[in-house]
Amino acid sequence: MPDAAQTVVMKFGGTSVADAERLTRAAKRIVALAETGTRVVAVLSARGRTTDELVAKAYEVSPRPNPREMDMLLSIGERESCALAAMVITDLGHEAISLTGSQAGIVTDTSHTRARILDVRADRIRTGLDEGKIVLVAGFQGVSVSSDVTTLGRGGSDTTAVALAAALAADVCEIYTDVSGVFSADPRIVPGARKLPVVTFEEMLEMSASGARVLQLRAVEYARNHGVSIHCRSSFDDRPGTVVEDEARTMERPLITAVTHSTAEARVTLLGLPDRPGIAGRVLSALADAGVNVDMIIQNEPVTEGRQADMSVTVPRDDLANAREALAKLQGELGFAGVQTDEQMGKVSLVGAGMRSHPGVAAKALTTLGDAGVNIEMISTSPIKISCVVREEHVETAVRELHSAFELGDNAVHHEDVTGVHRPVVT
Ligand code: ADP
Ligand code: ASP
Ligand code: MG
């Protein structure tokens, strides 16, 4: 009775399939769920550091690898994992079929290396499930509307999993990873970080956008837009992890949910920009056309008579070469004095829905960083987030100091936590 059976999408990250033993463990977990009568689709990532190695190979032979060919190359890591897992599952006595992103019906736009999913034509997956098979889908990839292989940006297997869960109306999308859920800070930097039983989409969006790479930002956006419930948990044990969902089960959101960070930022400053309407728009359009994702923007209006302004933006470090190139082209047209870049920047952010109604969070955060000797280079806020750009070497200190100043750790008392899941970190 396939119609009555529940459907679950399980996604295993790179560490969870890194070697033969781990891949076998993941395959056994997939089989165990299928044996309960559940229709199982498993999305796998490339093994261990495979994607990094493939990227490095491309740069060994080309300074600016052609994006289409980059996608052809990068897509093989996920295929390898799926084919191997299908072999293990078959040996365990189950029927399994592995599919590439294209075979699985993941249709994307044509922006190579950061494609967006436009449609999911999951008929082939449904047929496989109807035939009683476990369907393995290569994460992180799709086929563009012009029939080329595309990839979905780093961490993109999370998005594949969520998109399939939405298309198949799955009961849950389980993201199995190398930590036991979403924590109040990266447990690798703050060993006393607390596992969060529930996080709202709103908070998780801010967390992912500000560097908590445990769930890819686009996956969280897709899940929110399509009402997919995510359960992020450990691939090494059976304990419940973190549920990301619309309505939090908690009575009241804590003031601060988490401290997040990123260490791969760069700052670009345009010096001596003419101070007239339309200039900032031209700069940002040029960066957008070059595919550069601008995060923070600060423009200093001239205080004195001179009609010139400075403008600083932060961009992902990987986008810096494109940003430089785009701005060099613009310099003649706009007539600004020059461009300064700083590659070693990082960012630390505080995220919490409760901060909306509590003044004083920014003051406390900035004072904490100041007391720790961390210089703040740029600041930006949203109703539920405060982000500070700091030098990369200060990021870890900043994360630890903020985590402890706002008492986010395991020892903290959290009245609003009604689920009682307080467990130490498993890495
Ligand atoms: P996978 O390969 O399973 O997709 P990722 O490396 O993409 O795993 O994401 C998991 C990692 O995210 C963890 O190992 C952890 O270091 C990091 N991380 C950063 N911030 C957080 C956070 N707030 N909670 C949990 N993990 C986090
Ligand atoms: N293998 C890809 C990466 O390393 C996608 C993923 O793991 O989600 O970014
Ligand atoms: Mg990931």
Side-chain angles (χ1 to χ4, degrees), residues 192-256:
R194 190 173 76 99
K195 183 166 78 183
L196 307 167
V198 185
V199 179
T200 63
F201 280 129
E202 188 191 28
E203 289 166 322
M204 198 63 230
L205 281 172
E206 292 282 19
M207 288 179 68
S208 294
S210 58
R213 75 171 192 282
V214 60
L215 292 174
Q216 198 207 28
L217 175 60
R218 280 191 186 165
V220 185
E221 279 170 352
Y222 206 106
R224 185 200 47 185
N225 294 345
H226 294 81
V228 174
S229 165
I230 296 180
H231 183 187
C232 174
R233 57 195 305 191
S234 169
S235 63
F236 304 119
D237 64 53
D238 281 338
R239 294 176 308 180
T242 301
V243 174
V244 186
E245 60 184 13
D246 238 346
E247 283 284 301
R249 280 179 287 157
T250 49
M251 303 302 182
E252 195 183 306
R253 295 312 297 156
L255 178 59
I256 305 295

Side-chain angles (χ1 to χ4, degrees), residues 22 61 73 88 94 112 137 182 219 238 245 278 292 295 337 356 384:
R22 288 182 181 192
V61 298
L73 179 69
V88 177
H94 258 269
H112 284 289
V137 177
V182 178
D238 281 338
E245 60 184 13
V292 176
D295 181 16
R356 199 181 264 131
I384 67 161

Side-chain angles (χ1 to χ4, degrees), residues 130-154:
D130 290 346
E131 289 169 358
K133 290 180 182 148
I134 290 169
V135 181
L136 296 148
V137 177
F140 173 60
Q141 57 187 275
V143 60
S144 76
V145 282
S146 43
S147 306
D148 285 315
V149 173
T150 49
T151 63
L152 308 178
R154 298 305 304 266

Side-chain angles (χ1 to χ4, degrees), residues 11 155 158 213:
K11 178 259 170 178
D158 295 341
R213 75 171 192 282

